[in-house]
Amino acid sequence: MLLDCYIIDEEGEDIKVETSEVKLTSSSLVIVVSHTHHINYIFKGAKVSIVQKFASARKASALRLQHAYKTKHVEETEGIDQEFIPIMEFLGGFHGDAEPAEIPKPAPTKNTATNAPPKVASPPKTPPKAKSPEKKTITPTKTTKTAATTEIDLDAPVLVDLPPKLTKVVKTMLSLEPPEGSSCDYLIAGAKLYIILGDNKTDLRKGNFRLEEITTLPEGVFPAENYYPRILVSKQKVLGVELWARR
């Protein structure tokens, strides 16, 4: 059985591990990429945090683009799916409330006492960059309307079968110049969160993307630490919020 395994730790970081290092417990959130079945399985123990769940959605989206596999969720609280049981047994079975095995860290010493300085040093570099696009991207209503009538491809695949309210949001996205050196991963419209999928998310004007609603959102607060927002406004109303990340 050909598998790739990624453990999502409590800080929301994904770490690729060998199958022999995986221990499925109630505190585990593991993404198992089955090259045999062409499916990305997301195993969620009953005690995983909301930070882990949100991070797993982001990682699963990236893996889906990388491998073009389907994604299936396996949750302890909902019962283990029958098709996942052979994979679970291959990984050593389910260990219930047992403490998860220590997650091996990559070569850069994340577990040492020097862990604090890198995290303190890196944030100052991002906020200054994040503030500049934020100011530039709050586009006046008149500009949005003009771009919408001249640049939008009404036959863009992304506009097919969208609800009317979401269509208006997407048309606004298609009319705006993208921030330099960034790609858009998420869209918040109304009370819903969408993952933006596609080969090129750096320039949404080309329409080479699609929206996938995240239907099972965990409860809680999710800091968007690596993202900066772009607010879409039309006729004095907020249509939605894009979340951009520097690449």
Side-chain angles (χ1 to χ4, degrees):
M1 192 175 296
L2 185 57
L3 306 175
D4 287 334
C5 296
Y6 300 83
I7 293 177
I8 309 297
D9 65 17
E10 294 180 354
E11 297 179 355
E13 296 183 5
D14 58 272
I15 302 170
K16 187 174 183 179
V17 298
E18 299 295 330
T19 54
S20 59
E21 299 169 338
V22 176
K23 186 176 182 181
L24 300 178
T25 73
S26 295
S27 302
S28 301
L29 204 159
V30 181
I31 300 178
V32 180
V33 180
S34 174
H35 299 290
T36 304
H37 304 92
H38 294 177
I39 294 176
N40 298 324
Y41 293 97
I42 306 178
F43 174 84
K44 303 174 188 176
K47 297 181 179 179
V48 297
S49 68
I50 52 179
V51 174
Q52 289 172 289
K53 289 180 180 180
F54 195 77
S56 70
R58 182 176 56 194
K59 181 62 177 178
S61 175
L63 290 172
R64 182 175 179 178
L65 288 175
Q66 180 179 349
H67 300 294
Y69 294 167
K70 294 182 179 179
T71 299
K72 290 194 175 181
H73 298 265
V74 181
E75 303 194 28
E76 180 189 354
T77 55
E78 301 294 332
I80 307 300
D81 293 351
Q82 288 296 319
E83 67 176 280
F84 185 72
I85 290 179
I87 295 177
M88 183 174 65
E89 293 176 348
F90 181 82
L91 295 174
F94 181 63
H95 300 274
D97 291 332
E99 291 295 325
E102 183 179 352
I103 301 174
K105 298 291 183 180
T109 55
K110 288 188 175 182
N111 291 334
T112 63
T114 59
N115 187 32
K119 291 189 176 181
V120 172
S122 59
K125 296 181 181 179
T126 29
K129 294 181 180 178
K131 287 180 181 178
S132 178
E134 186 174 354
K135 291 181 180 179
K136 293 180 181 178
T137 54
I138 300 178
T139 308
T141 304
K142 292 183 180 179
T143 303
T144 301
K145 285 184 176 180
T146 302
T149 57
T150 57
E151 298 184 20
I152 293 179
D153 179 8
L154 295 178
D155 296 323
V158 71
L159 293 173
V160 178
D161 297 330
L162 288 180
K165 290 184 178 180
L166 190 55
T167 299
K168 188 174 182 180
V169 177
V170 174
K171 284 184 177 180
T172 303
M173 295 167 64
L174 292 173
S175 70
L176 299 175
E177 184 176 351
E180 184 178 354
S182 302
S183 63
C184 190
D185 290 340
Y186 296 98
L187 168 68
I188 301 171
K192 296 182 178 181
L193 175 66
Y194 299 87
I195 292 180
I196 298 178
L197 303 173
D199 297 328
N200 183 5
K201 298 185 293 181
T202 59
D203 191 347
L204 302 180
R205 295 174 299 178
K206 298 179 180 179
N208 297 328
F209 68 93
R210 66 184 187 279
L211 301 177
E212 181 175 303
E213 181 184 350
I214 301 178
T215 55
T216 54
L217 286 174
E219 298 292 332
V221 178
F222 300 95
E225 296 177 349
N226 298 320
Y227 293 91
Y228 59 89
R230 178 160 78 169
I231 304 172
L232 309 179
V233 180
S234 177
K235 296 180 180 179
Q236 303 301 311
K237 292 183 179 180
V238 175
L239 299 181
V241 179
E242 299 169 338
L243 294 180
W244 291 78
R246 290 200 174 275
R247 296 289 190 263

